[in-house]
């Protein structure tokens, strides 16, 4: 159990500092919406991770291994993230700077929307499914693929992830006192642009060579129409 604890905590801390769309949006949410809002967003991310881990563990490894490299999923997820980033950026273009203020959510619906945003932002990234599948393939045999032990390890990992995120949220919150409406707009624009960049990166993965050197999407030869 001690080994599972150490491995899980180490993985959880590592996950929390992985640079990706969730990392930046969590910081942006903490700065512009507050501590509770960031927690609501982070819980959505964690539920998506739990779902992916369960799918990877209980499903056929052959099926999941083929799905995680499916080009269409990368393109679909990338388009969704890119579109969300573009829409957010366009909306900010119409915002008057003087109307912006740091205001935490005050309705249950606002927190549910943030929870859903965290869940969907993590869920559309197919790479997360591939990551958990790789973890299970790597560590599963060492744990005899024991269901109780595997999920205990995941609990340690996700708890360490959440606790580390709490520190990140708290530190980001300290910046709120220095934010002017103009800076708030900048932070939101940067997060929207980063979402667009990550969306493009995810789509690009559909055209990257597999481990055997083959392209996920075969490119037509010169003179070939189909």
């Amino acid at each position: 159990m001690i080994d599972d604890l150490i491995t899980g905590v180490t993985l959880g801390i590592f996950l929390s500092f992985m640079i990706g769309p969730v990392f930046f949006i969590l910081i942006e949410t903490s700065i512009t919406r507050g501590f509770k809002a960031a927690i609501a967003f982070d819980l959505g991310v964690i539920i998506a991770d739990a779902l992916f881990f369960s799918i990877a563990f209980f499903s056929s490894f052959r099926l999941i291994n083929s799905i995680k490299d499916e080009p269409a999923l990368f393109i679909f997820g990338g388009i969704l993230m890119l579109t969300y980033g573009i829409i957010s950026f366009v909306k900010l273009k119409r915002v008057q700077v003087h109307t912006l203020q740091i205001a935490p959510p005050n309705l249950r619906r606002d927190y549910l929307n943030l929870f859903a945003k965290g869940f969907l932002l993590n869920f559309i990234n197919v790479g997360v499914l591939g990551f958990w599948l790789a973890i299970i393939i790597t560590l599963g045999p060492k744990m005899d693929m024991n269901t109780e032990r595997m999920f205990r390890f995941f609990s340690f990992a996700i708890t360490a992830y959440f606790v580390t995120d709490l520190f990140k949220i708290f530190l980001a919150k300290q910046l709120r006192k220095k934010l002017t409406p103009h800076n708030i707009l900048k932070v939101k624009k940067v997060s929207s642009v980063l979402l667009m960049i990550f969306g493009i990166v995810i789509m690009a993965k559909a055209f990257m060579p597999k481990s055997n050197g083959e392209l996920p999407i075969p490119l037509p030869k010169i003179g070939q129409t189909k």
Side-chain angles (χ1 to χ4, degrees), residues 107-208:
L107 295 174
R108 181 178 298 179
R109 182 181 60 186
D110 294 333
Y111 289 109
L112 288 175
N113 288 339
L114 286 164
F115 176 88
K117 180 180 178 180
F119 178 86
L120 292 174
L121 196 60
N122 203 27
F123 190 76
I124 62 177
N125 189 352
V126 186
V128 178
L129 175 61
F131 172 83
W132 285 117
L133 179 61
I135 292 296
I136 291 173
I137 291 175
T138 303
L139 299 180
K142 297 179 181 178
M143 301 181 185
D144 301 319
M145 291 304 291
N146 181 279
T147 303
E148 181 180 348
R149 190 177 175 188
M150 288 295 293
F151 276 87
R152 185 171 58 210
F153 152 78
F154 176 77
S155 298
F156 290 145
I158 215 66
T159 300
Y161 171 87
F162 182 66
V163 171
T164 307
D165 272 359
L166 289 179
F167 283 103
K168 284 161 45 183
I169 293 169
F170 176 76
L171 291 175
K173 183 185 174 184
Q174 305 311 305
L175 297 175
R176 298 178 68 194
K177 299 175 183 178
K178 301 181 180 180
L179 285 185
T180 62
H182 183 71
N183 289 333
I184 295 174
L185 185 60
K186 278 186 177 180
V187 169
K188 288 181 173 291
K189 283 185 176 180
V190 168
S191 66
S192 298
V193 170
L194 287 172
L195 278 181
M196 289 187 268
I197 293 173
F198 283 117
I200 293 172
V201 170
I202 290 174
M203 284 190 289
K205 290 181 180 179
F207 300 93
M208 291 180 180

Side-chain angles (χ1 to χ4, degrees), residues 66-96:
S66 62
I67 288 177
K68 76 178 180 66
D69 291 322
E70 177 57 44
L73 292 179
F74 283 102
I75 293 175
F76 179 70
I79 288 175
L80 286 180
M81 192 172 294
L82 176 62
T83 302
Y84 183 81
I86 292 173
I87 292 174
S88 299
F89 189 83
V90 170
K91 284 183 177 180
L92 290 171
K93 282 286 194 178
R94 303 172 183 173
V95 171
Q96 299 295 322

Side-chain angles (χ1 to χ4, degrees), residues 19-60:
I19 303 301
V22 167
F23 179 93
F24 289 106
I25 300 302
L26 177 68
I27 299 301
E28 183 262 329
T29 302
S30 178
I31 293 174
T32 61
R33 304 297 297 277
F35 192 83
K36 291 181 180 179
I39 290 178
F41 173 85
D42 206 31
L43 288 176
V45 173
I46 288 173
I47 294 300
D49 272 317
L51 181 60
F52 271 143
F53 182 84
S54 300
I55 291 173
F57 183 78
F58 289 114
S59 300
S60 165

